[in-house]
Every structure is written in structure tokens, then in C-alpha cells.
Amino acid sequence: MEDPAAAPALRRFTWEEIGERNGRGQAPQERWLVIERKVYDISHFCRRHPGGSRVISHYAGQDATDPFIAFHLDKTLVRKYMRPLLIGELAPDQPSFEPSKNKQLVEDFRELRATVEKMGLLKPNHMFFILYLCHILALDVAAWLTIWYFGASTVPFLFSAVLLGTVQAQAGWLQHDFGHLSVFSKSRWNHWVHKFVIGHLKGAPASWWNHLHFQHHAKPNCFRKDPDVNMHPLFFALGKTLSVELGVQKKKFMPYNHQHKYFFFIGPPALVPLYFQWYIFYFVVQRKQWVDLAWMLTFYIRFFLTYFPLLGVKGILGLHLLVRFIESNWFVWITQMNHIPMHIDYDKNVDWFSTQLQATCNVQQSLFNDWFSGHLNFQIEHHLFPTMPRHNYWKVAPLVKSLCAKHGIEYKCKPLLTAFADIVYSLKDSGELWLDAYLHK
């Protein structure tokens, strides 16, 4: 006699069926993805996804096991919310991930992930982050004391601006830690402190950062999926493949063959003061992120109350603009040195390890490089294990190098100045590729 309490058998699917549900094509645009051989329909859930609709949709039609494990702390809790989305599983004759992916590499990386967890490398040292926050607050106080004690003449004014620019850069790296859930064991605690650091110390919204940055990590350097390469093609021609494609299509939004020159004008000095500075307000108002807006306003109120009595209106506006200029240069050179010189193309749906390695490179370790870049000189390790506390990157690096050597994958690591120069060289190369295709193909 059939047991009425028995759970109904799950439907069985092939990778061909799943690949067709990628959210593209004619309506209805279904979106399915696979996690640990289970098939989930995220067609409607994606709009309610806490990490944003786009980041989860980027894996529609694909296996999302490795990014799921990489991004979530409390996987047991997340799986409870996933149950209503479950529609079936892979058929027994289907591999656990797409046949096009390197089976041995996927399995080796998952073994590496298990080793990392056993070694405790995902556990944070809270004292590290407390001291890091204290050094930021000390620099912030020192900037104010400089003008208060020495006055608002040129030298103290500029010195204070440098200190405040350093505060903004270093607070940017710290908010990055909380945004990646790498400081506390509970996601909620990371989110709370993230709002304080990015909102009150920097004047930016956490929701905006989450919306952009998680997409970048999910599909780094993948055009139309990674927002960090959205400057192609309006301002720059990026990557060899995309630059040639642009030239063949006879598209010219800018004189790309000169982009390595105008990068110095519209890139590092302009991104924060001329774009981010106003766009973040548009973002929070348009998306009704009122809590983020309130945190942002506390930054501007505090900045005004502390510096207006010392500098007046013109002085405080000049100081703010100069600080954003310093922060912008710092931010752009550090964040782009790991990515722009690397492979940029459309999403080819390769395995997680290869996805991150082809889009990232490292910069040599030193005390200065670690501090100056917020440990993003270990960009490879950060991308492979985004919730790992940054003070543990150096410990996992030898294991990553070993896996790269086993599979013949290049592990790129450069001196800091070489990494900066490679940004310019890569822009020059892709600009020349565009020009050649534009004129001759």
C-alpha cells in the first residue's frame, strides 16, 4: 500500500533544459539555476533576492553551487527560503555541473574550499578590525586638530585634506570587509555595522554598494554582467575581444586609440567627485532607501558642524572637493590594477575558479601594500573566498598557487607600480586593437 505521507518524486531535468531557462529570449523568460544538483525556479524570487535581482539572475541557466557557497554565511537558513523554489533535480545521467566545465578543477577547488574551512581561515580576528577602525578614527580626529590648532592656512589645510582623504580610502576598505560579511559570524551584524561605516564615515549608501559589488564578484569582467566594466563602450574600449568587436561594428563613442591618455583626466580624478558623489543620492531616492539616506546625512551633518566654524562655507566646500579628489585617485588606481589588464569578455560560463583567475591578479605583499590597498593586493584570494577575513589571505595564497600550478593556470602577481602601469598599457593596447579593426576590418 502506498504511503500517503511519502514526498512526491522530484522532476528530473537535463542541462539542455536548464540552459534554456536563462532569462533571455522571448517571454515568458523563465530563470532556473542549479545548486548541489537541485533545480530552482527563481523567475519571480529574483526580484525579492536580498542580494539583488541581478546578481542571482546572472546565474540563470547555470550551476550556481560555488557562488552560493562563496557568498552565504548561514547556508542552513538560506536553504529554508529556497525550499519553495525547488522544482526538481538533475537527472541521474547528468553531471553535477555543466559538461563544458573542467570536472577535475571544479572538484579540486571544492576540496580546497573544504580545507580552508577546516583550517579556520574563514574565522575573523575581531581585534584586527577594532584596531583598524581605531586607526581610521584617529586619522579623522588628527585632521580636525590640524586645522583647529594651526589654522586654515595653505599647509595645514592641505595636510588635513590628505589625512581626510586617507580616512575615506581606509574607511572604504573597512566597509568592504563588512559588506562581504567577513567580520561577524551573523550576516545581520555585518549589515548593521556596514551601514555605519559606509554611511556615517563615508557618506555613501550600503544598498548601492551591495547592488554593484556583488554583481562584480559573481561575474568579474563579464560584459553586461559586471557593472565595473560598464564604462565600455561609452568611455573606454576594454579587453581585446570587446575592443575588436567594437571596431568591426564601426562604433566610436570616444577616440579609444587615445584612451590611455584621457584616462588620467576622466578616470582617477573624476570618478568619485563628478559621478559617484551625485549618483548615490539619485540611487537612494529612486529606490526609496531611506535608512541609507539617513546614515549618509549624518556624515554631511558631522562634516559641516566640525569644519564650518573653522573654514566657513567656501573653505568647507573646497575641503570636501579636495578630499573626494584624493579618495577618487586612490580608489580607482587600486581597484582597477587587478582587473582592467585582465581578460574581459562576455560570460562564457566557465567554472568558478577559472572565472576568478582570468579576471583578477595580485600585487606583491608588503606592509605598505597591504595597508594601502586594504589587502586587495590579494585580489585572487579575495575573489575565490569573498567572505574570508582579509588578514587570512596570505595564509591561503600558497594553496591557491598550488592549485593553479596543478592545472596550468597562471597566477599573476606584480609589483605595485607595475600593476598601475599595466592599467595604462592595457588601455593603450585595446585602443590600438579597436583602431585597427575600425579602419581595416
Side-chain angles (χ1 to χ4, degrees):
M1 185 174 179
E2 186 178 357
D3 182 3
L10 292 173
R11 294 174 60 192
R12 307 292 178 85
F13 298 103
T14 66
W15 277 112
E16 183 179 2
E17 292 174 295
I18 294 163
E20 292 172 352
R21 274 72 174 191
N22 56 20
R24 297 188 296 272
Q26 297 181 348
Q29 296 177 350
E30 293 182 290
R31 292 176 172 87
W32 295 0
L33 54 73
V34 177
I35 297 175
E36 296 170 335
R37 294 192 64 85
K38 296 291 189 290
V39 181
Y40 299 90
D41 185 348
I42 61 166
S43 304
H44 301 290
F45 171 77
C46 63
R47 290 189 288 271
R48 295 181 283 112
H49 180 235
S53 63
R54 294 185 184 180
V55 65
I56 191 172
S57 295
H58 290 337
Y59 275 90
Q62 302 178 12
D63 176 60
T65 301
D66 291 314
F68 170 79
I69 293 172
F71 290 136
H72 298 94
L73 292 183
D74 191 345
K75 298 172 185 60
T76 302
L77 176 63
V78 176
R79 286 188 178 98
K80 291 181 180 178
Y81 291 96
M82 291 165 54
R83 287 173 188 167
L85 310 177
L86 181 63
I87 60 171
E89 62 184 1
L90 290 171
D93 63 335
Q94 296 292 300
S96 296
F97 37 83
E98 296 91 327
S100 59
K101 292 181 178 176
N102 185 328
K103 180 177 184 292
Q104 189 60 53
L105 180 55
V106 172
E107 292 175 350
D108 285 349
F109 174 72
R110 291 179 181 177
E111 184 178 337
L112 172 59
R113 170 81 191 195
T115 300
V116 164
E117 293 177 359
K118 289 178 183 178
M119 293 174 64
L121 297 183
L122 299 179
K123 295 180 181 179
N125 179 344
H126 292 124
M127 185 54 64
F128 172 89
F129 293 104
I130 291 172
L131 293 176
Y132 202 90
L133 175 61
C134 288
H135 113 280
I136 292 172
L137 297 177
L139 290 171
D140 208 358
V141 172
W144 182 83
L145 287 175
T146 298
I147 294 180
W148 175 77
Y149 186 80
F150 294 103
S153 58
T154 302
V155 173
F157 182 88
L158 293 177
F159 185 73
S160 179
V162 170
L163 289 177
L164 287 173
T166 303
V167 167
Q168 288 303 300
Q170 294 298 324
W173 309 145
L174 183 61
Q175 69 82 22
H176 180 263
D177 297 317
F178 288 103
H180 273 294
L181 315 179
S182 62
V183 182
F184 297 114
S185 59
K186 299 291 185 182
S187 298
R188 186 185 307 110
W189 299 350
N190 286 289
H191 290 316
W192 286 344
V193 184
H194 186 216
K195 288 182 180 294
F196 164 76
V197 176
I198 194 173
H200 183 67
L201 296 185
K202 288 188 61 61
S207 56
W208 163 76
W209 185 88
N210 292 337
H211 170 72
L212 296 177
H213 199 66
F214 290 146
Q215 291 185 71
H216 162 69
H217 270 269
K219 294 290 185 178
N221 280 10
C222 291
F223 184 50
R224 302 196 188 285
K225 290 192 174 183
D226 179 2
D228 284 10
V229 296
N230 279 353
M231 51 191 161
H232 173 96
L234 188 58
F235 296 107
F236 299 98
L238 299 178
K240 296 178 180 179
T241 303
L242 298 180
S243 297
V244 171
E245 177 188 70
L246 205 61
V248 170
Q249 294 172 347
K250 308 303 177 186
K251 291 183 178 180
K252 180 183 179 182
F253 299 99
M254 295 284 282
Y256 303 121
N257 51 311
H258 296 291
Q259 62 184 3
H260 59 292
K261 302 171 186 175
Y262 64 71
F263 170 77
F264 289 94
F265 299 97
I266 70 172
L271 182 64
V272 173
L274 298 184
Y275 178 58
F276 282 175
Q277 186 61 59
W278 66 265
Y279 180 75
I280 54 177
F281 283 96
Y282 167 79
F283 182 93
V284 293
V285 172
Q286 193 264 339
R287 293 178 178 246
K288 301 179 180 179
Q289 298 288 338
W290 307 125
V291 173
D292 279 349
L293 179 60
W295 275 113
M296 292 165 63
L297 291 177
T298 65
F299 165 82
Y300 289 99
I301 291 171
R302 174 175 62 88
F303 191 81
F304 180 82
L305 292 178
T306 51
Y307 285 98
F308 175 73
L310 303 176
L311 299 173
V313 174
K314 291 184 179 179
I316 198 172
L317 290 176
L319 179 63
H320 180 70
L321 182 61
L322 182 56
V323 169
R324 292 304 189 200
F325 172 81
I326 295 170
E327 174 195 6
S328 187
N329 279 276
W330 196 327
F331 171 78
V332 172
W333 284 106
I334 291 297
T335 58
Q336 299 310 305
M337 68 181 182
N338 307 106
H339 294 299
I340 283 185
M342 302 302 291
H343 182 70
I344 302 174
D345 201 351
Y346 295 97
D347 179 21
K348 301 300 183 182
N349 188 22
V350 295
D351 61 89
W352 176 259
F353 190 83
S354 299
T355 295
Q356 306 305 329
L357 263 293
Q358 69 184 9
T360 58
C361 65
N362 279 7
V363 167
Q364 292 174 353
Q365 183 187 21
S366 70
L367 288 176
F368 175 79
N369 287 353
D370 291 351
W371 174 82
F372 189 67
S373 69
H375 289 84
L376 293 182
N377 49 328
F378 287 96
Q379 191 74 217
I380 293 172
E381 289 71 25
H382 170 56
H383 266 256
L384 290 174
F385 309 100
T387 62
M388 179 181 288
R390 61 161 113 161
H391 51 73
N392 286 335
Y393 292 158
W394 68 274
K395 297 178 182 178
V396 75
L399 302 179
V400 175
K401 289 179 183 177
S402 177
L403 185 55
C404 286
K406 178 180 178 180
H407 290 274
I409 298 174
E410 185 178 7
Y411 181 99
K412 288 190 176 181
C413 187
K414 315 170 183 177
L416 181 63
L417 295 181
T418 300
F420 288 164
D422 281 350
I423 298 175
V424 181
Y425 291 145
S426 64
L427 289 174
K428 186 175 187 293
D429 290 344
S430 58
E432 290 174 349
L433 287 171
W434 166 82
L435 182 62
D436 179 67
Y438 186 82
L439 296 177
H440 306 299
K441 294 183 181 180

